[in-house]
Amino acid sequence: MPQTLDQQKMQTRNLIGGKWIDADSGDEFAVLDPATDEHIASVPRCGTAETRRAIDAAAEAFKPWSARPAVERYRMLRSLADAMMRDQDRLARLMTSEQGKPLAEAKGEVAYAASFIEWAAEEAKRVYGETVPASFADKRILVLRQPIGVTACITPWNFPLAMITRKLGPALAAGNTMVVKPAEDTPLSAIALGELAVEAGVPAGVVNIVTGEAKAIGEELLDNPKVRKLSFTGSTPVGKLLLQKSAKNLTKLSLELGGHAPFLVFDDADVDAAVKGAIASKYRNMGQTCVCANRFYVQDGIYDAFAGKLSEQVKTMKIGRGLDDGVQVGPLINDDAVEKVQRHVDDAVQHGAKVLTGGALAKVDGLTNRFYEPTVIDGFTPEMLINHEETFGPVAPLRRFKSEEQAIEWANDSIYGLAAYFYTRDASRLMRVAEQLEYGIVGANDGAPSTVQAPFGGVKESGFGREGGKYVMDEYTEIKYVSWQL
């Protein structure tokens, strides 16, 4: 039996200005285990007033924090990364309980999240300026990179630690302070991260965590002129709304929005490798990732082999509560997610597609009805919902293609441009296809391309800005040039 979390030792309040606080109103909201509907904890339902105080605390902490030598910021961030890995098991169990993903995946996310803090810590020491040749002998031009000021982030529930650390790490490394607004479904992972930041010696006000009403908190973050930068990961409609509201103060934004990733398999591909990559991309976190494959285009010559092998392997995946041994597929996050997945499958069948495996709720004794069978669908077509809407669930729809040109045309026929995948053993084709796919991230013979040292982000309606690698530091610094008359 999985262990029950010790609620007496669990921090559940918000971190503002170095203090753990409740909502002014005393209101709380419940955090539930999606696998069991067990009440895990209650956290403060904060709003405008508490968010304003968090911003004020971040503003007060900014000058002394940004004035610290980069090596001091490095040491604190490195201590935070080390503490995360020390507490990997605890953090993973907490994450699985509030989010549902299998424990092995949760442990992997903790390590992934810690890697962003570690990488950012190193980059703190590498925020370099430049000297530029001047036009006159008695002048010098200096280019400085300086922190923006108070920053904020709004993060989703599907990766409740990694989506915070890849924003928080570089923000703090560059000398900024931050207000974190985690998703309502998964606030406990964020609060636990705040505890570790305090333990690591991060000064009061540098990291602030506010849980509660998304609308009230988000509006204050964009209405308040003290906030100079907001990073958001979430849906495209919400991202567009934030972009409109950012005009009031010209708040700088980074937006990592929706995706609808194509997955191309060419006749010359290694079928076994392609199936392995498909499973890694599609069924991780129950298909609830912004970069997971949504549309599978498979060339005629290997279509049947790929469909058969994929279906066979998907049938063997173990479904259950994420805390149980060997589970590969946990619950979807909530009832609305289940409804959307079933609607996409039903619509595909009504339009002539065939379910090769899955296609229904999975009954797991003693647990909720949020478990959905890993599904493979044969023959999706353009008029189906699944062709143009992000399913965000464990459903892999397949479609045959004949030529490379046709596959690229279909792959690019989307308003989204976050991630794309393709498999081939032809080196020339690999370069041609990689260059022609209109996506910010391309996995070439790689179903899991995300990594801390690479620039993660999309094009088109998948947003703008990059997270990861040296490039993310540009998102959290401003460029100033100094013209010096000798």
Side-chain angles (χ1 to χ4, degrees):
M1 291 292 292
Q3 298 177 5
T4 301
L5 292 169
D6 188 342
Q7 298 181 17
Q8 298 301 316
K9 295 182 179 180
M10 187 189 307
Q11 179 60 261
T12 60
R13 293 176 294 170
N14 285 186
L15 179 61
I16 296 179
K19 299 179 180 178
W20 295 101
I21 64 102
D22 293 309
D24 291 352
S25 64
D27 287 350
E28 296 181 330
F29 63 94
V31 182
L32 305 178
D33 185 331
T36 64
D37 274 339
E38 172 193 354
H39 178 272
I40 304 171
S42 292
V43 301
R45 190 184 297 277
C46 292
T48 302
E50 297 89 347
T51 306
R52 188 170 299 150
R53 288 203 301 277
I55 293 169
D56 289 344
E60 183 178 351
F62 169 66
K63 284 189 177 180
W65 177 250
S66 61
R68 283 178 178 262
V71 69
E72 291 187 18
R73 298 197 296 271
Y74 155 78
R75 290 181 184 132
M76 290 183 202
L77 289 171
R78 184 57 197 256
S79 294
L80 174 55
D82 291 343
M84 291 177 68
M85 293 308 298
R86 180 201 68 202
D87 287 4
Q88 183 179 22
D89 289 344
R90 177 180 70 88
L91 293 172
R93 186 169 294 279
L94 179 64
M95 186 189 303
T96 294
S97 296
E98 66 175 347
Q99 199 272 339
K101 66 180 61 179
L103 188 58
E105 287 191 23
K107 289 182 179 179
E109 183 181 338
V110 174
Y112 183 52
S115 74
F116 281 104
I117 298 292
E118 180 183 11
W119 179 273
E122 295 289 347
E123 289 300 296
K125 299 180 290 184
R126 297 176 177 83
V127 180
Y128 300 144
E130 291 181 289
T131 59
V132 177
S135 301
F136 302 95
D138 62 346
K139 283 192 175 184
R140 300 292 185 269
I141 296 175
L142 311 178
V143 178
L144 311 179
R145 289 176 65 191
Q146 296 181 313
I148 294 173
V150 175
T151 67
C153 70
I154 300 174
T155 58
W157 49 263
N158 56 342
F159 291 94
L161 271 180
M163 296 302 99
I164 295 175
T165 59
R166 72 185 194 184
K167 304 172 191 299
L168 180 69
L172 270 56
N176 304 287
T177 55
M178 179 167 273
V179 178
V180 177
K181 194 284 175 192
E184 292 93 320
D185 288 307
T186 56
L188 299 174
S189 293
I191 293 171
L193 179 65
E195 282 189 287
L196 295 180
V198 172
E199 178 191 321
V202 176
V206 173
V207 178
N208 305 274
I209 299 169
V210 184
T211 62
E213 300 291 346
K215 186 174 186 294
I217 295 171
E219 286 184 351
E220 179 61 25
L221 292 175
L222 287 171
D223 283 344
N224 196 313
K226 292 181 181 179
V227 178
R228 300 308 307 145
K229 158 84 182 191
L230 173 68
S231 180
F232 171 74
T233 298
S235 72
T236 294
V238 174
K240 290 180 177 180
L241 182 63
L242 295 176
L243 184 58
Q244 291 173 354
K245 290 183 177 296
S246 71
K248 177 180 178 180
N249 296 314
L250 292 180
T251 308
K252 185 176 181 179
L253 294 182
S254 294
L255 299 175
E256 195 258 284
L257 307 177
H260 201 226
F263 191 107
L264 284 58
V265 186
F266 291 94
D267 278 346
D268 59 17
D270 180 329
V271 176
D272 291 333
V275 169
K276 182 179 179 180
I279 290 174
S281 173
K282 175 72 262 183
Y283 299 104
R284 180 169 61 110
N285 199 17
M286 295 73 73
Q288 299 174 124
T289 84
C290 52
V291 295
C292 74
N294 280 271
R295 299 167 289 145
F296 288 78
Y297 300 111
V298 186
Q299 201 159 11
D300 274 336
I302 60 166
Y303 185 94
D304 292 336
F306 178 86
K309 289 188 175 185
L310 179 63
S311 299
E312 287 174 10
Q313 292 196 30
V314 166
K315 287 177 184 177
T316 67
M317 298 181 78
K318 183 178 179 180
I319 304 170
R321 188 180 183 189
L323 294 174
D324 293 339
D325 291 340
V327 166
Q328 298 166 284
V329 180
L332 294 171
I333 189 65
N334 54 38
D335 295 338
D336 288 343
V338 175
E339 186 278 330
K340 183 178 185 182
V341 171
Q342 190 63 64
R343 176 160 46 87
H344 277 201
V345 172
D346 291 345
D347 174 79
V349 172
Q350 289 168 10
H351 284 90
K354 179 183 178 182
V355 175
L356 298 181
T357 186
L361 286 172
K363 299 297 182 183
V364 184
D365 290 343
L367 300 180
T368 62
N369 289 323
R370 299 193 185 103
F371 295 83
Y372 202 87
E373 296 173 342
T375 300
V376 179
I377 292 177
D378 176 29
F380 82 92
T381 52
E383 68 273 12
M384 297 176 186
L385 292 174
I386 213 163
N387 182 61
H388 54 85
E389 289 185 6
E390 190 176 17
T391 303
F392 233 60
V395 181
L398 313 183
R399 185 181 182 187
R400 296 175 183 267
F401 73 86
K402 295 184 180 299
S403 67
E404 179 180 311
E405 294 74 20
Q406 184 181 57
I408 292 171
E409 179 184 354
W410 288 353
N412 288 337
D413 185 19
S414 173
I415 63 172
Y416 300 106
L418 185 55
Y421 307 86
F422 69 97
Y423 277 73
T424 180
R425 285 186 282 197
D426 183 323
S428 296
R429 170 178 283 155
L430 190 147
M431 184 56 69
R432 285 196 308 271
V433 175
E435 290 178 346
Q436 292 180 68
L437 288 171
E438 297 170 355
Y439 293 83
I441 303 162
V442 176
N445 297 328
D446 184 0
S450 298
T451 183
V452 65
Q453 60 265 46
F456 186 104
V459 298
K460 299 191 285 188
E461 292 196 19
S462 288
F464 49 76
R466 292 296 182 268
E467 295 179 325
K470 65 178 184 179
Y471 310 93
V472 70
M473 303 306 289
D474 295 336
E475 303 288 335
Y476 291 97
T477 54
E478 297 282 17
I479 294 177
K480 176 191 291 184
Y481 95 82
V482 179
S483 181
W484 180 6
Q485 177 78 53
L486 300 180

